[in-house]
Amino acid sequence: MDTVAEDYYALLGVSRNATADEIKRAYLRAARELHPDTNQGDPETEERFKAVNRAYETLRDPERRRRYDMFGPEGDRAGAGAGADPFGFGTPGAGGLGDLFDAFFGGGNPFGAQGRPGGRRGPTAGEDVETVLDLDLSEAVFGISREIALSLPTTCSTCDGSGARPGTTPVTCSMCNGLGEIRRVRPSVFGQMVTASPCTRCGGIGEEIPSPCPDCRGQGRRQEERSLLIEVPAGVDEGTTMRVSGRGASGVRGGPAGDVYVHLRIPPHPTITRDGWDLLSDLHVSMTQAALGVQVPFDTLDGSEVLTIHAGSNSGDEIRLRGRGVPHLRARGRGDFLVRVVVDTPAGLTKAQEDLLRALAAERGEEVAPPEAGLMSRLRGAFK
């Protein structure tokens, strides 16, 4: 073989510093293009296919790649060792044939369940179920137990999930002889290649039902209402999804149940907002309360507290209530409750109130707008 063909990186079309993932992707792409089954009667393509396999088997192994980088193909062959399995067949996590199966079978193993001929697929697992659970802010902060009702396929009590009429039993599938799959053998460059697909008669279960259950019609499950208790932990937030394993739809004919995914929805609170683990709210006080100071009751999610507004407070001042926020989901402690002071300017003043404020402004030397003229004064001024 010429020197170009012995350049494993060039064979795969990657650079010498390519990552393992880049090498694998390049190999799968080349294997699809060069596989003898798609290029029958082309000996040159078959040789290139073998060379690509040889290159990949070397470069996917860190130690063999190191020897190749140092000494070339001869160094790799010298270190590979007699009797080594060049394809990694049967080796957990190895490439080789397993990677070819990825390329040509979409990740499926053509040798049946567990990598061995003769493995039944078994009953199909049930579907996952999704639902939405509405909580108020207090329930999200402190957690809650809530029962929800679901309508979903449940194991048939009449046949106990077998799908067969009481007093009868399923029988071995006549098409697949109980294997649950149909196998086909075809020649390849490696010898005979076995491919497998689910049996269309029994759906991969390996059994037929001559006399189906009248209540579930051979499915082993039927639609029913089911109550499910959801334990919502303290501190969850809007958009959180909880998974309840094994409580979804029951599988066909005794198959395992799927999962339930509960999406939490938390409508906005009228006065409190959430910012991470902290809670935020406004406290409105009058101008005189802000100027002179006051103690006012304030409602938190933990209950009512008395807050002290110090004399001279301004809008935007914050009062931090430590440990009154949201509990941490995966740690101890809670966030804080931040109360923002909002000073309300009085409006709709009476004449006496306006006079008092003007007197205060004069006392403090503050310039204010002159009082508005009365209606008769404005009319007299208009005719002058």
Side-chain angles (χ1 to χ4, degrees):
M1 188 171 294
D2 57 33
T3 56
V4 174
E6 291 293 346
D7 185 343
Y8 291 165
Y9 294 100
L11 278 169
L12 297 176
V14 297
S15 64
R16 298 188 72 84
N17 59 354
T19 64
D21 284 342
E22 291 171 338
I23 291 173
K24 181 174 180 177
R25 286 195 297 269
Y27 164 70
L28 296 178
R29 187 166 51 248
R32 290 190 182 96
E33 295 173 358
L34 301 175
H35 196 277
D37 286 353
T38 58
N39 298 275
Q40 295 183 0
D42 187 348
E44 182 179 348
T45 301
E46 183 173 339
E47 287 301 317
R48 288 180 60 197
F49 179 72
K50 293 179 180 178
V52 164
N53 274 283
R54 185 165 54 250
Y56 176 63
E57 288 305 317
T58 296
L59 298 184
R60 72 176 180 83
D61 184 286
E63 178 59 25
R64 293 181 64 180
R65 181 178 180 180
R66 183 186 67 81
R67 289 196 301 268
Y68 172 79
D69 289 343
M70 293 178 63
F71 306 111
E74 294 304 321
D76 173 53
R77 295 190 190 108
D85 181 357
F87 298 107
F89 185 74
T91 303
L97 287 180
D99 292 324
L100 279 180
F101 299 153
D102 286 340
F104 295 103
F105 304 104
N109 190 333
F111 292 95
Q114 306 299 323
R116 301 185 302 274
R120 282 173 52 181
R121 293 170 58 87
T124 304
E127 301 85 3
D128 293 334
V129 176
E130 294 184 274
T131 188
V132 175
L133 178 59
D134 288 315
L135 305 173
D136 62 34
L137 181 60
S138 180
E139 292 170 333
V141 168
F142 297 115
I144 192 174
S145 296
R146 179 78 64 80
E147 274 198 354
I148 59 175
L150 297 173
S151 178
L152 70 168
T154 305
T155 300
C156 176
S157 57
T158 303
C159 65
D160 200 25
S162 70
R165 181 186 294 271
T168 68
T169 58
V171 299
T172 300
C173 177
S174 58
M175 179 177 287
C176 65
N177 293 321
L179 293 177
E181 58 188 18
I182 303 298
R183 298 192 196 128
R184 296 174 178 83
V185 181
R186 60 191 179 101
S188 74
V189 67
F190 302 110
Q192 289 186 331
M193 181 170 287
V194 181
T195 60
S197 59
C199 175
T200 56
R201 182 183 293 273
C202 67
I205 296 177
E207 295 178 337
E208 295 180 82
I209 301 179
S211 181
C213 171
D215 290 339
C216 65
R217 300 182 178 181
Q219 290 292 303
R221 61 179 189 172
R222 56 189 179 186
Q223 199 79 9
E224 292 182 359
E225 292 288 333
R226 178 186 295 178
S227 179
L228 180 61
L229 180 65
I230 304 298
E231 298 284 351
V232 180
V236 296
D237 202 356
E238 166 76 22
T240 298
T241 296
M242 299 176 58
R243 185 181 72 173
V244 185
S245 300
R247 299 301 301 274
S250 297
V252 175
R253 289 164 60 181
D259 300 332
V260 175
Y261 289 88
V262 183
H263 305 292
L264 302 182
R265 187 167 56 191
I266 307 170
H269 191 276
T271 60
I272 301 173
T273 58
R274 177 172 177 172
D275 181 16
W277 305 116
D278 294 333
L279 297 174
L280 314 175
S281 186
D282 290 342
L283 174 61
H284 290 259
V285 297
S286 68
M287 181 186 69
T288 52
Q289 289 174 324
L292 303 176
V294 68
Q295 287 189 323
V296 293
F298 180 79
D299 291 331
T300 70
L301 295 180
D302 292 89
S304 182
E305 298 200 17
V306 176
L307 301 185
T308 299
I309 306 300
H310 296 287
S313 294
N314 295 302
S315 282
D317 288 352
E318 281 188 346
I319 301 172
R320 182 180 293 269
L321 304 178
R322 298 193 179 277
R324 295 292 189 273
V326 181
H328 297 283
L329 267 174
R330 295 178 179 84
R332 293 182 178 180
R334 295 172 59 180
D336 300 333
F337 200 130
L338 303 179
V339 183
R340 186 182 65 170
V341 175
V342 178
V343 179
D344 295 327
T345 302
L349 299 174
T350 65
K351 182 66 170 58
Q353 291 170 341
E354 181 180 346
D355 290 343
L356 287 173
L357 285 179
R358 290 187 177 281
L360 175 62
E363 177 68 22
R364 292 175 56 86
E366 297 170 348
E367 183 177 349
V368 295
E372 292 187 3
L375 177 61
M376 294 306 296
S377 297
R378 290 198 299 272
L379 290 174
R380 284 195 296 270
F383 290 102
K384 285 184 178 180

